Amino acid sequence: MANFGIFSDSKSTESVTVSFRIPYYTHWGQSLLVCGSEPVLGSWDVKKGVLLTPSHHGDELIWRGSVTLPRGYTSEYSYYVVDDGRNLLRWEMGKKRRLVLPEGVKGGDVVELYDLWQTGSDTLPFRSAFKDVIFRRSSSVGIERPLVVLQNNLDEIDADSVLIHFRICCPSIEEDTAVYVIGSCSKLGQWKIQNGVKLGHAGDSVWHADCVVQRGDFPIKYKYCTYGKAGNISLEVGSQRELSLESSESQPRYMFLSDGMFRAMPWRGAGVAIPIFSIRSEEDVGVGEFLDLKLLVDWAFECGFHLIQLLPINDTSVHGMWWDSYPYSSLSVFALHPLYLRLGALSKNIPNDIKHDILKAKEELDKKDVDYEATMAAKLSIAKKLFSLEKNSVLNSSIFQKFFSENEEWLKPYAAFCFLRDFFETSDHSQWGRFSQFSKEKLDKLVSKESLHYDIICFHYYIQFHLDLQLSEAAGYARERGVVLKGDLPIGVDRNSVDTWVYPNLFRMNTATGAPPDYFDKNGQNWGFPTYNWEEMSKDNYAWWCARLTQMAKYFTAYRIDHILGFFRIWELPEHAMTGLVGKFRPSIPLSQEELEREGIWDFNRLSNPYVRQELLQEKFGEPWPLIASNFFNQYEKHLYEFKEDCNTEKKIAAKLKSFAQRSLLEDENKIRRNLFDLLQNIVLIRDPEDAKKFYPRFNLEDTASFKDLDDHSKNVLKRLYYDYYFHRQDNLWRQNALKTLPVLLNSSDMLACGEDLGLIPSCVHPVMQELGLVGLRIQRMPSEPDLEFGIPSQYSYMTVCAPSCHDCSTLRAWWEEDEERRRRFSKNVIGSDKLPPSKCVPDVAYFILRQHVEAPSMWAIFPLQDLLVLKEEYMTRPATEETINDPTNPKHYWRYRVHVTLEALMKDGDLTTTVKNLVRGSGRSHPLLLEANTSGSRETGNSTTEKKLVSGESLTTQLTGAPQRESLVVS
């Protein structure tokens, strides 16, 4: 809910009583207070704020408090939840409220402020996805009456009357639509629109009006409504609002109502998800490009999609090979990836020989999948030729100078890093000699115009300049067409990156980031990124994060927070780990040695070192076990072994196996490595490397042979402590950690934020996301409810994105076809059919599942493009498994999938487009505004051949019970 000022300034020494009133439910031991910018309200020191007093009013708990202020007083203020020691527990979201006493208020008057708590979801309409894209027409409505202007003369208010100032936020109002308040008293028209009070637009989607009401008319019931140009009246949904004159010694003369948001049916939209590299067009060279987004926007627009979701687009050129196809391992969190450059747009005067080079590269790289290395090499080679021809005109242009001045803080280090990476033939900056340690002085010399390599530095400037131009053009086009571009904020950065070079203090370089075992990988994941040093980041109020989000907001109006759980706690692994199993959460409250000893646990070496018995060696390695034992282990007791010093970590084991002199005697090296890793991970407790008296339970410790060999007492104690560590004792710590960091992200830009909250979800996560207004993610095959195998889209909460699949799992078609028994269970339990389901994900099946999602209550239904193509059989010729974007179980997965149909062909396929469009519009979801004008009547007459086939006969979709369509309450 936005906050709006209370009128103009008039200086006087006479005092006015201002009463604050807000309904809010608290827990035991919690209180509410108001704190503001001026001393009387605490000067933003919560401990000096004005404590409010609670009282029950019907079903509500009302908090009240009063202060005496001079006439003409001006202040910002906000409400806070505190404990008995006035320690801050919670605060309102959104902008600070503005209090300016109205001119004409007399000394001794009482002004009552009726406020509502501002939640994170109240701020969503003011995020750029809605304000600048979806509701952009509403945002252009002119100001009719500034908030500082009252309609009534305050001198005319007598002792028997009260001035009521109504204020409501209507972010999605259409053009030529008026807002009214109508109600039970005569001044509010007695529920008749023609006699109601018309509100004026004050800007920022705020509508307000005031009227003088007789005290005898209280209590007043009222609602807001809109009156459209077609003559329809849309009344607020929900119960009537009510305003009473509450008994008190000093009756108010003025009542200022902040009534929050106009209560309409929840807005819902749909979108399509596809990585940039997967797009195919007739113009691109080997890979999707930023300018291809304009065609994708056109197709999304025609389908009724309000959103396009992308994967990260930052430069990942760390290794100089196909490993760099991994889009979440950024070389720089600010630089864009040269891979997505449109060569033909670099100049209006491309020589014929270079045009021939571009055409030749396009023909050679037009393959089934992305050839990452060849495409990068071709693009950079051709770009260098154009740079040599145009560098002076480009670098001296005013538009480049503007770009450079706005971005030089990250652009100079990026260009210098790229030069040093290529010079030293490694991005491992610890190998760069005197340049290993970054300094401003060294940077200035590296990028100096006098340096011999200045042209190389400028080439990187040139590439980033054109990438910015091209992506900005596509982003602007998307906004014009009412389509949101949704970016992706990776949880980590590559340890050999510009950011770790320039800001090493912000990262814990001796650690790695990953995820514990979950749906994606039963052995956990190790992403290799260093974890963040949050304590250091907090010293400048997370400036690196703020800059990162500000940069993203230049192009995107929404973003996905990758692995949002990492902002509560991160799964931290030692740098020497290769897998993701033996980690611990940071931050977390460990098990202390004293705590364990009180429970009768004493043998810490036995529990925290790999437990290797001779029987395990024989079981895992068979006949060659003595060879393995003699090379990798020392025997320290009869039948008990420990790893040798040169192979007591996963990286050491992998290195030793590669150089093992007797490799030829090993039948399966990968199997040997896995078994050695299993033995290394055969522990129950992980000892803290920084404090030997602190321990962390190894994930899934009950599955280890070490645990199974313990006595029953130790097993019971460790199981209880394991459950406490992972599911109980950390909740408050993790909640506090998220509330330190996530609000910084949200306040760094006005983009709409969505959190990827999949995996092992602590109980504190969803309440915090709800509090902050963060939209979650629901994937049907990964339900958050532990008792369900398949999620139920019709039961998803509004503050979610629902999707049938995502880039980190198999596509809808591949998922359907990969497990026969699961397919039968889904058919029976979700589709409701006892018939044998088809072995292939035929269009009928896809239509049923897509319709389930598009009719869900979720704010967004976002579909991977591959899942939409299943609606037409001619797009199903490629094996389903080849359409998967990522395999999380493979840390060296090649991210190279390309859609086999061009965007131009999709634009011409009216059959598919109409099917998708009617699917979206038939669900009651919003669609880009111009779509309705361009396709008038298409809902009734535009059914495609594909769609008619899908919804007729004995198809699976006939068993679907649709959710109610969205509609407005209309009073005639």
Side-chain angles (χ1 to χ4, degrees):
M1 178 172 61
N3 257 302
F4 319 107
I6 305 182
F7 318 134
S8 65
D9 196 350
S10 177
K11 301 298 181 183
S12 174
T13 56
E14 297 182 55
S15 60
V16 176
T17 299
V18 174
S19 176
F20 298 92
R21 180 191 187 277
I22 184 169
Y24 188 86
Y25 285 102
T26 55
H27 296 293
W28 181 259
Q30 296 179 348
S31 297
L32 236 67
L33 59 74
V34 61
C35 187
S37 58
E38 297 299 312
V40 70
L41 293 179
S43 299
W44 294 125
D45 183 348
V46 172
K47 291 188 181 293
K48 297 178 181 178
V50 177
L51 200 62
L52 306 181
T53 303
S55 63
H56 286 280
H57 183 77
D59 293 333
E60 293 185 313
L61 183 64
I62 306 295
W63 293 83
R64 297 182 181 84
S66 298
V67 292
T68 301
L69 304 172
R71 290 175 58 193
Y73 177 85
T74 301
S75 178
E76 289 184 325
Y77 71 100
S78 192
Y79 293 98
Y80 300 86
V81 179
V82 296
D83 61 18
D84 291 337
R86 290 206 177 197
N87 298 304
L88 182 61
L89 301 176
R90 192 171 294 116
W91 56 91
E92 292 186 287
M93 297 297 291
K95 297 179 181 178
K96 303 298 183 185
R97 302 173 186 268
R98 182 77 177 162
L99 167 60
V100 183
L101 290 179
E103 186 175 351
V105 172
K106 299 177 181 177
D109 282 344
V110 177
V111 176
E112 280 200 350
L113 308 181
Y114 282 65
D115 290 327
L116 297 175
W117 182 269
Q118 296 178 167
T119 66
S121 58
D122 290 329
T123 70
L124 296 185
F126 304 98
R127 294 292 179 180
S128 55
F130 292 105
K131 175 172 60 74
D132 298 334
V133 183
I134 297 168
F135 300 153
R136 66 196 186 285
R137 287 184 170 181
S138 301
S139 301
S140 65
V141 176
I143 295 177
E144 299 171 337
R145 184 168 57 252
L147 208 53
V148 297
V149 177
L150 287 175
Q151 295 164 276
N152 290 270
N153 187 341
L154 301 190
D155 292 333
E156 297 177 0
I157 304 172
D158 58 29
D160 295 325
S161 59
V162 179
L163 181 137
I164 305 174
H165 182 260
F166 296 94
R167 186 168 65 220
I168 190 72
C169 182
C170 305
S172 59
I173 197 166
E174 297 180 2
E175 291 179 299
D176 301 320
T177 299
V179 181
Y180 285 81
V181 58
I182 58 176
S184 57
C185 66
S186 59
K187 285 296 183 75
L188 297 183
Q190 295 179 321
W191 299 109
K192 296 178 181 178
I193 183 68
Q194 61 269 27
N195 297 327
V197 175
K198 183 180 180 181
L199 280 67
H201 186 231
D204 291 330
S205 300
V206 180
W207 299 75
H208 73 121
D210 55 90
C211 67
V212 179
V213 176
Q214 296 300 304
R215 293 183 183 272
D217 289 333
F218 287 87
I220 295 170
K221 294 185 177 181
Y222 66 99
K223 275 193 173 186
Y224 295 95
C225 63
T226 60
Y227 183 55
K229 58 185 177 182
N232 287 340
I233 303 170
S234 294
L235 197 65
E236 282 190 297
V237 299
S239 58
Q240 296 172 350
R241 301 179 187 259
E242 188 168 343
L243 181 64
S244 302
L245 278 177
E246 298 165 5
S247 58
S248 63
E249 294 181 4
S250 54
Q251 288 292 312
R253 194 179 185 196
Y254 313 99
M255 304 173 77
F256 295 97
L257 314 183
S258 296
D259 274 331
M261 305 296 296
F262 185 92
R263 299 189 310 226
M265 293 294 288
W267 184 95
R268 297 183 304 140
V272 59
I274 190 73
I276 286 272
F277 60 78
S278 297
I279 298 171
R280 188 185 296 270
S281 78
E282 294 175 2
E283 296 296 321
D284 64 46
V285 176
V287 70
E289 297 167 348
F290 286 146
L291 287 175
D292 287 329
L293 287 173
K294 295 175 71 174
L295 266 179
L296 185 59
V297 165
D298 287 339
W299 184 77
F301 179 92
E302 293 299 328
C303 290
F305 289 139
H306 256 307
L307 182 146
I308 293 171
Q309 178 170 316
L310 306 174
L311 292 188
I313 56 172
N314 294 110
D315 191 357
T316 58
S317 307
V318 175
H319 304 284
M321 58 179 294
W322 66 262
W323 288 0
D324 296 336
S325 67
Y326 180 29
Y328 288 88
S329 187
S330 57
L331 179 82
S332 164
V333 298
F334 299 100
L336 300 173
H337 206 309
L339 188 70
Y340 305 131
L341 189 69
R342 172 68 53 85
L343 294 170
L346 290 180
S347 172
K348 294 180 180 179
N349 303 302
I350 300 178
N352 288 333
D353 60 330
I354 296 181
K355 285 182 179 178
H356 179 266
D357 290 344
I358 295 173
L359 183 61
K360 182 181 178 183
K362 175 175 171 48
E363 292 172 350
E364 292 177 350
L365 295 169
D366 188 20
K367 302 177 180 180
K368 180 178 71 172
D369 294 310
V370 177
D371 186 334
Y372 182 92
E373 294 173 26
T375 302
M376 275 291 287
K379 288 199 171 189
L380 292 176
S381 174
I382 294 171
K384 284 176 182 176
K385 293 179 182 180
L386 284 168
F387 171 72
S388 66
L389 296 175
E390 300 201 337
K391 60 184 177 184
N392 291 331
S393 60
V394 171
L395 298 179
N396 292 324
S397 66
S398 59
I399 187 172
F400 174 82
Q401 293 298 326
K402 182 175 184 292
F403 165 78
F404 186 81
S405 65
E406 292 175 351
N407 296 277
E408 62 179 313
E409 186 172 346
W410 66 263
L411 187 58
K412 285 181 176 179
Y414 166 77
F417 187 99
C418 291
F419 165 73
L420 292 169
R421 172 201 62 196
D422 298 340
F423 180 82
F424 287 102
E425 298 183 336
T426 179
S427 54
D428 181 356
H429 38 84
S430 68
Q431 306 299 312
W432 290 355
R434 66 190 182 92
F435 295 109
S436 295
Q437 302 298 318
F438 174 86
S439 73
K440 181 69 165 54
E441 294 72 25
K442 293 175 187 176
L443 176 66
D444 289 341
K445 290 181 181 178
L446 282 168
V447 300
S448 168
K449 291 182 179 180
E450 286 71 41
S451 66
L452 295 175
H453 53 264
Y454 185 62
D455 262 11
I456 300 174
I457 296 293
C458 287
F459 175 68
H460 296 294
Y461 294 163
Y462 171 84
I463 293 293
Q464 289 301 313
F465 168 64
H466 278 288
L467 287 166
D468 174 76
L469 284 179
Q470 294 179 16
L471 181 54
S472 296
E473 180 180 335
Y477 186 77
R479 282 192 290 271
E480 290 172 7
R481 302 222 76 185
V483 176
V484 171
L485 276 191
K486 181 181 178 185
D488 197 319
L489 183 75
I491 185 61
V493 301
D494 199 283
R495 66 177 57 253
N496 296 321
S497 65
V498 182
D499 300 279
T500 58
W501 180 52
V502 178
Y503 308 107
N505 57 316
L506 301 184
F507 305 91
R508 297 173 56 84
M509 296 298 288
N510 63 337
T511 66
T513 304
D518 58 13
Y519 175 92
F520 297 109
D521 193 336
K522 63 182 179 62
N523 293 313
Q525 298 176 62
N526 185 339
W527 303 321
F529 315 133
T531 56
Y532 294 119
N533 186 342
W534 290 108
E535 294 78 15
E536 191 67 27
M537 287 180 162
S538 68
K539 292 178 181 178
D540 61 2
N541 199 27
Y542 309 96
W544 181 80
W545 283 102
C546 294
R548 191 177 175 186
L549 270 294
T550 300
Q551 184 74 7
M552 277 192 77
K554 292 180 180 179
Y555 314 112
F556 299 106
T557 51
Y559 67 107
R560 167 188 177 271
I561 302 175
D562 175 42
H563 192 62
I564 197 172
L565 304 183
F567 292 89
F568 292 79
R569 81 295 184 270
I570 198 71
W571 187 245
E572 186 176 81
L573 300 151
E575 192 276 333
H576 54 68
M578 294 179 66
T579 66
L581 187 59
V582 184
K584 63 182 177 66
F585 286 123
R586 176 178 290 272
S588 65
I589 304 169
L591 308 178
S592 68
Q593 181 170 321
E594 181 183 4
E595 179 182 7
L596 289 163
E597 288 174 346
R598 283 200 306 267
E599 297 281 1
I601 304 295
W602 303 93
D603 195 349
F604 300 111
N605 287 333
R606 154 74 174 83
L607 295 172
S608 61
N609 291 331
Y611 181 65
V612 184
R613 295 177 61 85
Q614 182 173 312
E615 302 95 281
L616 285 174
L617 292 171
Q618 293 170 330
E619 177 186 325
K620 286 190 174 292
F621 302 107
E623 286 187 16
W625 81 265
L627 173 66
I628 299 295
S630 63
N631 282 277
F632 290 87
F633 296 91
N634 293 320
Q635 185 174 1
Y636 65 95
E637 283 185 21
K638 187 176 182 180
H639 302 310
L640 288 175
Y641 294 78
E642 63 182 4
F643 279 93
K644 293 179 181 287
E645 179 67 26
D646 66 348
C647 55
N648 61 359
T649 71
E650 291 176 354
K651 285 187 176 179
K652 287 181 180 179
I653 289 173
K656 185 166 183 174
L657 276 173
K658 283 185 178 180
S659 60
F660 190 40
Q662 297 169 288
R663 289 176 69 184
S664 59
L665 301 177
L666 304 178
E667 291 185 5
D668 187 339
E669 184 180 328
N670 288 332
K671 183 179 179 182
I672 298 292
R673 185 177 66 248
R674 285 197 303 271
N675 285 333
L676 287 170
F677 281 9
D678 285 345
L679 292 174
L680 192 68
Q681 296 163 355
N682 188 27
I683 59 176
V684 176
L685 297 176
I686 300 169
R687 194 186 293 267
D688 191 316
E690 298 172 6
D691 187 338
K693 293 187 176 182
K694 293 179 179 178
F695 299 89
Y696 305 88
R698 187 261 208 202
F699 200 90
N700 289 342
L701 56 79
E702 291 183 60
D703 295 340
T704 66
S706 178
F707 179 86
K708 291 172 183 176
D709 265 9
L710 293 172
D711 61 89
D712 288 344
H713 170 76
S714 297
K715 287 180 180 179
N716 291 333
V717 168
L718 289 166
K719 280 194 290 186
R720 175 164 46 81
L721 293 175
Y722 173 92
Y723 182 83
D724 178 62
Y725 175 85
Y726 282 102
F727 303 106
H728 180 66
R729 73 164 66 188
Q730 318 295 347
D731 267 9
N732 189 52
L733 173 65
W734 290 345
R735 180 183 184 280
Q736 290 174 353
N737 198 53
L739 289 175
K740 289 177 185 175
T741 55
L742 286 174
V744 176
L745 268 67
L746 298 178
N747 295 331
S748 296
S749 77
D750 60 358
M751 292 184 289
L752 174 68
C754 305
E756 182 261 292
D757 53 344
L758 304 175
L760 183 69
I761 311 295
S763 59
C764 61
V765 169
H766 289 152
V768 168
M769 290 182 67
Q770 183 177 5
E771 185 176 330
L772 299 180
L774 282 159
V775 183
L777 176 62
R778 299 294 175 268
I779 305 292
Q780 189 171 26
R781 69 187 76 170
M782 307 176 210
S784 53
E785 302 85 354
D787 57 331
L788 291 180
E789 182 179 13
F790 311 110
I792 306 172
S794 63
Q795 296 180 8
Y796 292 159
S797 65
Y798 174 68
M799 289 290 290
T800 56
V801 170
C802 68
S805 70
C806 67
H807 68 274
D808 272 334
C809 60
S810 54
T811 62
L812 173 58
R813 184 159 72 102
W815 176 81
W816 178 267
E817 296 172 6
E818 68 193 9
D819 189 324
E820 180 181 355
E821 290 303 316
R822 183 181 62 201
R823 185 166 64 237
R824 289 183 179 182
R825 293 193 300 273
F826 185 90
S827 180
K828 180 178 181 179
N829 299 328
V830 178
I831 297 175
S833 172
D834 289 324
K835 296 179 182 178
L836 185 67
S839 60
K840 299 295 183 182
C841 186
V842 295
D844 273 350
V845 170
Y847 191 90
F848 175 92
I849 296 173
L850 296 181
R851 188 176 169 189
Q852 269 195 317
H853 286 76
V854 82
E855 292 184 343
S858 302
M859 179 190 297
W860 290 100
I862 299 179
F863 304 102
L865 181 55
Q866 305 96 300
D867 293 350
L868 294 170
L869 296 179
V870 187
L871 291 172
K872 198 165 183 179
E873 289 188 4
E874 70 182 73
Y875 296 133
M876 297 168 58
T877 56
R878 188 172 182 174
T881 53
E882 292 184 3
E883 295 183 333
T884 298
I885 303 294
N886 177 39
D887 176 9
T889 65
N890 179 10
K892 294 299 182 186
H893 177 75
Y894 196 167
W895 298 61
R896 63 186 312 197
Y897 165 72
R898 292 195 79 190
V899 178
H900 54 287
V901 58
T902 66
L903 291 172
E904 290 86 353
L906 282 180
M907 285 295 295
K908 294 176 183 177
D909 190 343
D911 200 37
L912 176 66
T913 301
T914 303
T915 298
V916 175
K917 176 179 65 181
N918 288 345
L919 186 67
V920 173
R921 296 184 67 174
S923 70
R925 289 187 178 269
S926 174
H927 44 83
L929 288 172
L930 295 177
L931 184 62
E932 189 156 23
N934 291 344
T935 58
S936 178
S938 64
R939 186 179 299 183
E940 291 75 30
T941 62
N943 291 342
S944 66
T945 304
T946 299
E947 185 179 26
K948 288 175 181 176
K949 179 180 177 182
L950 292 176
V951 298
S952 63
E954 295 300 317
S955 71
L956 294 171
T957 57
T958 60
Q959 301 172 57
L960 177 66
T961 302
Q965 295 188 8
R966 178 184 179 218
E967 56 186 33
S968 297
L969 180 60
V970 177
V971 180
S972 57

